[in-house]
Structure formats: structure tokens, C-alpha cells
Amino acid sequence: MLNVLKLDTPEGFSSYTAKLSSIPISEPYHLPDYIEIFSGGVENLICFTFQTDAALYPILMLGFLNPISIDGEKSDFFDFITPYGYTGPIFYPNIESALIEEFWKEVDIWYNENNVVTEFIRFNLFGNQLSYSGFTVPTMLNIKGHIIDQSIQWTSFDAKVRKNVNRAIRENLTSTVYYKEIDENVVSEFYEIYIQTMKRTEAKASFFYEQNQFKLFVQNNKDNVAICTVYFENMAVSSELLLVSDDSIYSFLGGTNENFFEKRPNDFLKVEALNWAREQGKKYYILGGGYGFEDGIFKYKKSFFPNDVVSYYTGRKIINQEVYRKLVDKVSKLRQLRGMEKLDLSDTSFFPLYNKNE
């Protein structure tokens, strides 16, 4: 049976939290606090829950059910998009593909009954795109680093990584990974470096989180958060907030004091976090991708795991073709009036096309 929870209501939020905690899977990108702080809040946020007599645990899928507006005019239709990050549906281990297919079938029926025009899914890197009822698109390349024996891992790094880590060691850099019990002073150290990095790099306004938001996230999610900080003479010079799941750590947010770049703290931090993850019995260190196709950031991440490049998939689905064409046509005409190119329904570079404003 398919149910829909509205997380922007106290009842729905509480029910989602209870269902999430009942599943023997720890996924940081589905945490309520993650959504609240880092992924747009809970306005218009719903969760599909699917349970059958044959299933041990429910399937859950979060997403924003947003009203479709064209040029400021709200329509009677909606689109569905999962939160930023590695999201999509949560399947419990060894679930039968027939149950996944049934889940998607029920979701599609609900869409048709509730004026949903399109669906956009951000999948994770662990195969939850399998049996998807829409189109899966290999959207970008990601680094899903496989954690192996330390000596073998060391030789697998690019030579530049090994050189930089050795430089950091000669410079007497040290590191600490804080986990479970993270003092507020540690969060403050991280935040000071992080916010200065955001200012230096002229990051988007959405990345300027408040310190109290980080403190709240760390305090409330002890099993899913770690902070790795690099020190020079007891001064924090680089720090990163890591998300922690059952078998992986995720590089999330961080920064470095530019006055210490020459000591190579960045490479040192990555390797120290990796070594900690190995001690914790984790299987993967997920560094993610870049901002563009194989850009400098991606190549930097690849230098740690040259052989662990995977595709990051997104899912696209048009539920109501007729309404979709009408919406795209309406936006296309508005674009032409403003001297912009008209939209082409065959364009796959952006989805859904009716949201293409540039």
C-alpha cells in the first residue's frame, strides 16, 4: 500500500522520522535535519511510503511536490523532485525487484491522480536507479572511492597526492577526526575555516550557513556526522564535515586557510579521513564530482581514486505528455518575446524544460 506523508505538517514530519528510524539503513542524505538545513527545508516536502505484506520494511522516497508556475502565474499542476544529494528511494537490503517495480507503479498512479506532470530523481551511487519506471540519465561522473588495504591504497594514489602528503608530514601537520561526541569548539573551528573559504571563493549565498545550523546538525545526528580537522602548531588550518552512513563516508563541506596552502593540508586531510574510515570498517569514501564534466575539481578528486570513477544517475519522467507540451510551449513563447531562443522538446540538456529560464 502506498501512503503519502506531508513533512511540512507536524504529524507528517513525526511519522517520517519514525519510519526512517525503523529501517535498518543509515542514510545521511535522508535525515530530517539534513533536509531542513542543507536541502531547502520542508515546505512542499512529501514522502512516499510503500509497504506490502511480503516486505520486511517500507520503501521510502522523499521529494518536493512543487506547484508549477509560469511567469509568476501558478497553475493547477505539480512536479516532483528529490532533495539535493544522493537521494531517491530507500530500499532495504536484498529487496526483490518485483517489489521495486510495484512501488514505482503505485507512485505513477498517484501522480496521475494528483496532477503531477514530471518527476526528477537524484539517485545514489548504490543502484537505487534499478527498475526505475522512467528514463535514467548518466548525468555526471563521480568518485566512489573503494577503501582497501592501506599500503595498496597508498600506491594507488597519483604521485602528486603522495608527494603532497609527504610534504604535509614534513611540515608537522597533524589531524584529528571527531566523531560521536563533537565539542562545540570543534564545530566553531570548522565553521571559521569554512565560512572564510566561502567568502574567498565567492560562493553562492546558499552556502553561507549559520554556525548554529552546523551545531544543531552535529548535535542531533551523532552517528552520521564526523569532522576531520588538520592542525599546524595547534592551529586549525583545514577542516571538513563528513557525512557517515553504514558503509561509507561522504566528503560534504569544508575549507582551508589560504595562508597554509603551501603545507598541503588538503591532500593530507583527505588521506587522514580515508584512514579513519578504514579503521571504522567503512567500504567507500565518496568524494563526488566536479561542477562541470571532468573539470579541475573532478580531476583533483580522481587523483585519490584513479580507478573508482562511476556514473551518477538522475531519473526523468513525464507523466502527462499533453500538459507537458503545453507548458513548454507557453514558456517557449514567453522566451521568444524576450529575445531568447525557443525551446525544443527534443532538448535533453535540461529537465523539465518548462523551468528553463536562461
Side-chain angles (χ1 to χ4, degrees), residues 120-243:
F120 183 82
I121 307 290
R122 297 179 173 102
F123 291 109
N124 62 29
L125 300 182
F126 292 92
N128 68 339
Q129 80 277 4
L130 299 177
S131 300
Y132 178 54
S133 59
F135 293 97
T136 54
V137 180
T139 306
M140 62 189 303
L141 298 177
N142 270 215
I143 302 301
K144 180 184 175 183
H146 190 200
I147 301 173
I148 56 178
D149 175 81
Q150 186 170 359
S151 60
I152 298 175
Q153 194 111 59
W154 175 257
T155 59
S156 73
F157 297 148
D158 278 1
K160 186 177 180 180
V161 171
R162 297 195 297 270
K163 179 181 178 181
N164 286 342
V165 172
N166 285 330
R167 169 72 178 272
I169 293 171
R170 290 196 303 272
E171 294 282 354
N172 295 317
L173 297 188
T174 60
S175 74
T176 301
V177 177
Y178 302 93
Y179 185 50
K180 300 282 190 181
E181 299 300 328
I182 303 178
D183 189 88
E184 285 194 1
N185 292 331
V186 173
V187 180
S188 296
E189 282 182 337
F190 158 80
Y191 184 76
E192 183 177 347
I193 292 173
Y194 171 77
I195 208 68
Q196 288 302 320
T197 300
M198 294 302 100
K199 291 177 181 178
R200 186 185 74 245
T201 58
E202 298 181 344
K204 295 180 180 178
S206 58
F207 285 97
F208 284 79
Y209 305 105
E210 296 178 2
Q211 185 170 178
N212 284 338
Q213 291 177 298
F214 283 109
K215 289 182 177 179
L216 176 69
F217 186 66
V218 169
Q219 178 183 342
N220 290 350
N221 303 280
K222 295 182 178 181
D223 292 335
N224 297 104
V225 184
I227 293 177
C228 181
T229 302
V230 172
Y231 298 92
F232 176 68
E233 296 180 350
N234 295 320
M235 176 189 296
V237 298
S238 185
S239 190
E240 183 166 286
L241 188 147
L242 304 165
L243 300 180

Side-chain angles (χ1 to χ4, degrees), residues 284-337:
Y284 301 100
Y285 184 8
I286 297 173
L287 299 181
Y291 290 115
F293 183 75
E294 295 197 53
D295 60 9
I297 294 175
F298 173 79
K299 291 176 180 177
Y300 169 72
K301 294 175 178 180
K302 185 181 177 182
S303 67
F304 294 91
F305 299 100
N307 302 314
D308 294 337
V309 179
V310 299
S311 290
Y312 168 67
Y313 289 94
T314 56
R316 304 177 182 190
K317 185 188 299 175
I318 300 174
I319 295 94
N320 191 322
Q321 292 280 356
E322 181 182 358
V323 172
Y324 183 75
R325 284 194 297 270
K326 288 180 178 179
L327 290 170
V328 172
D329 183 61
K330 186 174 182 178
V331 172
S332 186
K333 289 177 180 177
L334 287 170
R335 287 169 58 91
Q336 289 176 287
L337 287 173

Side-chain angles (χ1 to χ4, degrees), residues 12-154:
F13 191 90
S14 177
S15 182
Y16 170 73
T17 302
K19 286 185 178 296
L20 185 67
S21 63
S22 73
I23 300 176
I25 300 173
S26 182
E27 290 292 345
Y29 286 96
H30 294 80
L31 293 170
D33 285 329
Y34 172 83
I35 304 297
E36 283 262 34
I37 297 170
F38 303 116
S39 194
V42 298
E43 184 178 0
N44 298 327
L45 185 66
I46 66 171
C47 179
F48 291 111
T49 72
F50 181 72
Q51 180 88 59
T52 69
D53 293 337
L56 292 173
Y57 305 99
I59 296 173
L60 305 180
M61 186 171 71
L62 283 171
F64 295 99
L65 188 66
N66 295 316
I68 299 173
S69 296
I70 305 298
D71 200 32
E73 181 182 344
K74 187 178 292 187
S75 72
D76 295 326
F77 300 97
F78 302 85
D79 51 30
F80 179 88
I81 180 171
T82 59
Y84 176 80
Y86 299 109
T87 52
I90 301 178
F91 302 136
Y92 56 88
N94 303 315
I95 185 174
E96 296 180 3
S97 59
L99 283 175
I100 300 175
E101 292 169 5
E102 189 177 349
F103 162 74
W104 286 118
K105 180 180 178 180
E106 291 295 316
V107 169
D108 289 343
I109 291 172
W110 190 89
Y111 285 153
N112 275 299
E113 293 175 346
N114 289 273
N115 287 351
V116 180
V117 180
T118 62
E119 173 189 71
F120 183 82
I121 307 290
R122 297 179 173 102
F123 291 109
N124 62 29
L125 300 182
F126 292 92
N128 68 339
Q129 80 277 4
L130 299 177
S131 300
Y132 178 54
S133 59
F135 293 97
T136 54
V137 180
T139 306
M140 62 189 303
L141 298 177
N142 270 215
I143 302 301
K144 180 184 175 183
H146 190 200
I147 301 173
I148 56 178
D149 175 81
Q150 186 170 359
S151 60
I152 298 175
Q153 194 111 59
W154 175 257

